[in-house]
């Protein structure tokens, strides 16, 4: 009898032990990476150039072993829990102090107004807090930090200086120009050439990282027409600059929503990249989009055309509300423009929604 009493619990512990070890090891390594990121930030602030050191395949696999999708869904449910009125101010004040949130810009400054963390994260701003620049053709779609920008070269895009990812892996297979109603593109062999619809134009990119303390909504960066949405289920690894410097093709691993269409100069796309605790990406005009679903097929994607349901697509005006994150993540712009397009940016600078990115 004594053997029966002891063998059942031992077997149960043995079944669970591999999972616990995997989570503990992966979580501990993720914590170690956070500490390393902090040291790198301190070196950069001191003006010391940090050499790029990419993660090996086993390090990426170990990081991916952390159940970030499950944790992000749990975090999302926790965010929906209504806080007692007496607890709201202490909880939100701690968050404000930790991440440097400027509540004077919020449409509602009273912390007792926000029933849960989700409402607080998605707080709206006062109308005059973010004036939209009218002098430049492309504005910042969100608050954040500029990680990288410039011309796309050799079908590779820089996520941070010295670390690239494949343009085709990031956007997925090319969509026929006839479906998007673009002007006929010049014939080209490379994926990059297929995206350029007008001869003499170049392809440009800009990466904006949204920190947890930033304004969490994002807006239309220019006047354009959204024709297509492509949703990539994937991992939800951190996308802070330290991790982006460490993991090659990080944005291709993570869940993301790619909106493609056209503006006056040709191809235009905006991609919202998910991250840890940011499983929820919402696009206001797309009610069929559901991110961080419990069931997904690795390496898959699903498409939705706004042309077939609405012949004109979805017209967006510069500065118009487009979507939101649940906590903060990354926006990647990839677009076509003439060769004399100029960015008005510096890598690493802080930027706010409505400020100029670039113009002709």
């Amino acid at each position: 009898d004594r053997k029966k009493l002891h063998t059942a619990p031992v077997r149960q512990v043995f079944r669970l032990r591999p999972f616990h070890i995997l989570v503990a090891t992966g979580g501990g390594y993720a914590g170690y990476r956070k500490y390393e990121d902090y040291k790198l930030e301190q070196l950069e602030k001191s003006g010391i150039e940090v050499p790029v050191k990419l993660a090996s395949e086993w390090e990426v696999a170990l990081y991916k072993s952390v159940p970030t999708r499950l944790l992000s869904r749990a975090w999302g449910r926790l965010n929906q829990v209504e806080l007692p009125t007496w607890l709201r101010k202490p909880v939100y004040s701690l968050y404000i102090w930790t991440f440097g949130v400027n509540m004077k810009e919020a449409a509602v400054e009273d912390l007792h107004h926000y029933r849960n963390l989700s409402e607080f994260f998605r707080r709206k701003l006062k109308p005059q807090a973010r004036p939209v620049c009218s002098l430049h053709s492309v504005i910042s779609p969100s608050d954040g930090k500029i990680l990288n920008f410039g011309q796309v070269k050799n079908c590779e895009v820089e996520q941070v200086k010295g670390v690239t990812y494949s343009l085709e892996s990031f956007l997925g297979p090319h969509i026929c120009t006839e479906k998007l109603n673009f002007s006929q593109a010049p014939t080209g062999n490379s994926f990059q050439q297929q995206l350029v619809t007008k001869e003499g134009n170049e392809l440009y990119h800009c990466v904006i990282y949204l920190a947890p303390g930033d304004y969490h909504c994002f807006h239309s960066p220019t006047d354009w027409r959204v024709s297509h949405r492509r949703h990539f289920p994937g991992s939800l690894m951190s996308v802070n600059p330290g991790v982006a410097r460490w993991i090659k093709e990080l944005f291709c691993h993570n869940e993301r929503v790619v909106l493609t269409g056209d503006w006056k100069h040709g191809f235009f796309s905006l991609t919202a990249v998910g991250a840890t605790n940011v499983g929820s990406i919402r696009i206001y005009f797309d009610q069929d989009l559901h991110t961080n679903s419990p069931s997904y097929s690795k390496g898959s994607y699903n498409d939705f055309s706004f042309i077939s349901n609405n012949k004109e697509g979805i017209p967006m005006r510069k500065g118009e509300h487009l979507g939101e994150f649940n906590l903060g993540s990354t926006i990647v712009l990839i677009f076509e423009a003439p060769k004399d397009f100029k960015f008005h940016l510096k890598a690493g600078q802080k930027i706010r929604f409505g400020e100029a990115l670039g113009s002709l």
Side-chain angles (χ1 to χ4, degrees):
D1 292 336
R2 288 170 62 187
K3 285 184 178 179
K4 290 180 180 179
L5 287 172
H6 287 289
T7 52
V10 168
R11 287 175 182 173
Q12 187 176 4
V13 171
F14 183 79
R15 282 199 304 269
L16 295 176
R17 186 179 298 166
F19 175 76
H20 288 166
I21 292 174
L22 196 62
V23 173
T25 306
Y29 193 77
Y32 167 74
R33 288 305 314 173
K34 287 284 188 181
Y35 173 68
E36 290 293 308
D37 295 340
Y38 171 76
K39 291 198 299 183
L40 288 175
E41 288 179 7
Q42 297 306 308
L43 289 174
E44 286 182 343
K45 288 180 180 178
S46 303
I48 301 173
E49 187 173 348
V50 181
V52 174
K53 184 181 179 181
L54 294 177
S56 62
E57 290 186 11
W58 72 264
E59 287 178 308
V60 176
L62 185 59
Y63 192 179
K64 281 187 171 184
S65 71
V66 180
T68 51
R69 293 180 64 84
L70 178 62
L71 292 173
S72 296
R73 285 194 294 273
W75 176 255
R77 291 186 179 182
L78 180 63
N79 287 349
Q80 299 293 332
V81 175
E82 185 169 342
L83 297 176
T85 306
W86 62 269
L87 189 58
R88 294 174 188 176
K89 189 170 183 179
V91 170
Y92 301 146
S93 296
L94 177 62
Y95 185 91
I96 290 168
W97 177 79
T98 303
F99 297 109
V101 179
N102 184 4
M103 285 302 294
K104 292 183 179 179
E105 297 178 333
V108 180
E109 296 184 40
D110 182 11
L111 297 180
H112 296 101
H113 169 80
Y114 303 100
R115 294 173 298 176
N116 52 48
L117 284 166
S118 183
E119 286 188 1
F120 178 72
F121 293 148
R122 295 181 287 106
R123 64 193 177 276
K124 304 300 181 184
L125 298 180
K126 294 173 181 174
Q128 67 274 19
R130 296 289 188 276
V132 176
C133 177
S134 58
L135 299 177
H136 297 273
S137 54
V138 184
I139 62 168
S140 176
S142 66
D143 289 7
K145 178 182 180 180
I146 301 295
L147 295 189
N148 216 302
F149 63 92
Q151 280 190 20
V152 177
K153 298 180 180 179
N154 302 320
C155 296
E156 293 281 325
V157 186
E158 281 195 318
Q159 57 192 31
V160 294
K161 186 177 179 181
V163 182
T164 63
Y165 56 93
S166 163
L167 180 65
E168 186 170 6
S169 297
F170 182 68
L171 295 179
H174 180 56
I175 305 165
C176 179
T177 53
E178 293 179 2
K179 293 182 180 180
L180 293 179
N181 198 28
F182 288 165
S183 58
Q184 188 62 37
T187 56
N189 295 324
S190 73
F191 182 81
Q192 179 177 337
Q193 290 173 326
Q194 292 173 23
L195 294 180
V196 177
T197 64
K198 298 180 180 178
E199 193 168 350
N201 281 1
E202 298 287 348
L203 209 59
Y204 298 85
H205 73 100
C206 182
V207 183
I208 305 170
Y209 167 68
L210 287 75
D214 288 327
Y215 169 55
H216 287 67
C217 297
F218 51 93
H219 301 245
S220 175
T222 192
D223 295 333
W224 65 306
R225 181 178 58 116
V226 183
S227 305
H228 185 268
R229 179 258 292 162
R230 176 169 285 164
H231 172 217
F232 290 85
S235 301
L236 288 173
M237 295 184 284
S238 172
V239 292
N240 73 55
V243 178
R245 187 185 295 108
W246 178 54
I247 297 180
K248 183 178 174 63
E249 298 205 333
L250 172 64
F251 299 155
C252 298
H253 290 296
N254 273 15
E255 181 154 8
R256 59 198 182 278
V257 176
V258 182
L259 300 177
T260 54
D262 61 294
W263 70 318
K264 60 183 178 181
H265 299 297
F267 175 81
F268 198 97
S269 73
L270 180 148
T271 301
V273 183
T276 310
N277 295 334
V278 196
S280 173
I281 302 172
R282 183 183 174 194
I283 304 297
Y284 294 138
F285 58 74
D286 190 354
Q287 301 303 314
D288 296 321
L289 175 66
H290 300 287
T291 57
N292 196 13
S293 172
S295 59
Y296 77 102
S297 178
K298 185 178 179 181
S300 65
Y301 62 87
N302 55 76
D303 289 342
F304 185 87
S305 174
F306 299 107
I307 293 288
S308 60
N309 295 277
N310 182 343
K311 290 185 179 180
E312 300 299 321
I314 308 294
M316 298 296 301
R317 300 301 302 271
K318 184 167 67 173
E320 186 177 351
H321 280 272
L322 182 54
E324 63 188 34
F325 292 111
N326 235 5
L327 185 59
S329 192
T330 298
I331 296 287
V332 179
L333 301 179
I334 298 175
F335 57 93
E336 172 186 359
K339 292 182 178 180
D340 55 351
F341 181 87
K342 300 294 182 183
F343 283 102
H344 304 284
L345 302 171
K346 292 181 180 178
Q349 79 172 71
K350 291 288 291 183
I351 198 165
R352 303 202 304 175
F353 155 61
E355 295 179 346
L357 283 185
S359 62
L360 296 171

